[in-house]
Amino acid sequence: MSNEDERPEHRLRRELPEEVQASASSEASIPEEKSGPTVTGRQRLVQGLWPPRVSRAQLIVAVLLFGLGFGLAVQVASNSNSDSALRGARQEDLVRILDELDDRTQRLEDEKQGLQKQRDELENSSDQAEEARKQTAEKEKQLGILAGTVAAQGPGITMTIDDTKGTVEADMLLDAVQELRAAGAEAIQVNDVRVVANTYLTDSGKSVSVDGNKINAPYRFKVIGKPQDLEPALNIPGGVVQTLEKEQATVTVGRSAKIVVDALRAAKQPDYARSSSQ
């Protein structure tokens, strides 16, 4: 080997092609990156939303909102059902209901005037003690009628419920009693049992018990009161008569100038209550 070849610059020229070639070969050995499919913004949004990732708190909130919505729907449906009877009533039925309300208002006004008259008589009577005794005796009779300890008679109605199918239940008869009381009934008798303030009705097989006394169909109501108020109260749309007829029972209501309620209740002495008057 000559000295010229051993010089540094010649040695650099001799080695440079080999390094360049090695570098080129190494670059050639690097595999080209394959370009993947391009993901759009809409696809990234869909991937983020589905499948849904629901946390426990979100699930609880959803259940509570569902329960609230269901409760509101049930309440709206219940209110719609309760008002459907009056919405579907005919004009003459609505007029009759309004007349009944006016009659009840008039009865309350008459009762108020009667009480005011009694007060005036007590204040202005020359013999207040005698007047008080008369009023006490009269009040005793009235309370006896309400308590069922004395017989009563007067105008009113009779209602007969013929239940051949055995579908009439105690709560239906109780509805009839409450409707009659609201219409101004002063004395009520069902078959041979006097109905009073604490009367209760229960089912007893295919029949009904009133205050523990079993009665069988047909159920006969004898009611003392103003017939013009009592009969319409039973025949209002969706009222007692229509409810019983839906149960395939036959209902007959008639007015009478004289109704006798003669079933009596024994006077019960209270165990603890005593009069506070001296």
Side-chain angles (χ1 to χ4, degrees), residues 8 21 34 44 52 60 74-75 95 100 106 108 123 130 158-160 168 180 182 197 214 226 235 240 246 259 266 276:
Q21 184 178 3
K34 294 184 180 180
R44 287 197 297 270
I60 294 174
V74 170
Q75 183 177 4
V95 171
E100 181 185 352
Q106 186 60 43
L108 293 174
E123 291 176 351
E130 182 63 26
T158 59
M159 179 175 67
T160 303
V168 176
L180 290 168
K214 186 176 180 180
K226 189 177 181 180
N235 288 301
V240 174
K246 286 181 182 178
I259 299 291
S276 60

Side-chain angles (χ1 to χ4, degrees), residues 92-246:
E92 51 267 29
D93 293 331
L94 294 175
V95 171
R96 187 168 65 243
I97 294 173
L98 289 175
D99 291 340
E100 181 185 352
L101 293 175
D102 291 339
D103 292 339
R104 292 183 183 180
T105 303
Q106 186 60 43
R107 286 199 308 271
L108 293 174
E109 184 64 26
D110 293 341
E111 183 178 355
K112 184 184 81 169
Q113 292 179 359
L115 293 174
Q116 290 176 346
K117 183 179 178 181
Q118 291 180 6
R119 182 196 63 187
D120 295 339
E121 289 175 351
L122 284 173
E123 291 176 351
N124 301 326
S125 175
S126 57
D127 189 356
Q128 294 185 1
E130 182 63 26
E131 186 64 26
R133 281 193 294 269
K134 289 181 181 179
Q135 292 189 10
T136 301
E138 184 65 24
K139 183 63 68 175
E140 183 180 1
K141 292 180 182 179
Q142 295 175 3
L143 294 176
I145 293 174
L146 296 177
T149 57
V150 298
Q153 66 178 21
I157 65 168
T158 59
M159 179 175 67
T160 303
I161 303 172
D162 194 1
D163 180 27
T164 57
K165 302 288 186 179
T167 56
V168 176
E169 298 178 349
D171 58 343
M172 301 176 188
L173 299 184
L174 181 59
D175 289 341
V177 171
Q178 291 175 339
E179 191 64 42
L180 290 168
R181 283 174 173 168
E186 297 176 350
I188 304 175
Q189 178 176 330
V190 183
N191 289 16
D192 295 328
V193 182
R194 185 73 168 267
V195 176
V196 293
N198 60 348
T199 291
Y200 62 93
L201 291 87
T202 57
D203 291 315
S204 180
K206 291 291 183 179
S207 59
V208 176
S209 293
V210 181
D211 292 336
N213 301 296
K214 186 176 180 180
I215 60 175
N216 298 313
Y219 306 109
R220 296 184 177 88
F221 283 70
K222 294 195 294 183
V223 187
I224 295 177
K226 189 177 181 180
Q228 294 85 347
D229 295 334
L230 298 175
E231 183 182 5
L234 298 174
N235 288 301
I236 61 175
V240 174
V241 173
Q242 286 190 3
T243 301
L244 292 171
E245 287 177 348
K246 286 181 182 178

Side-chain angles (χ1 to χ4, degrees), residues 61-77:
V61 171
V63 171
L64 292 177
L65 290 176
F66 174 78
L68 178 60
F70 181 76
L72 291 175
V74 170
Q75 183 177 4
V76 171

Side-chain angles (χ1 to χ4, degrees), residues 32-75:
E32 295 184 1
E33 256 188 43
K34 294 184 180 180
S35 60
T38 304
V39 180
T40 65
R42 180 178 298 179
Q43 289 175 339
R44 287 197 297 270
L45 178 61
V46 172
Q47 292 175 359
L49 294 177
W50 188 264
R53 299 175 180 85
V54 181
S55 65
R56 181 177 181 183
Q58 292 173 335
L59 182 60
I60 294 174
V61 171
V63 171
L64 292 177
L65 290 176
F66 174 78
L68 178 60
F70 181 76
L72 291 175
V74 170
Q75 183 177 4

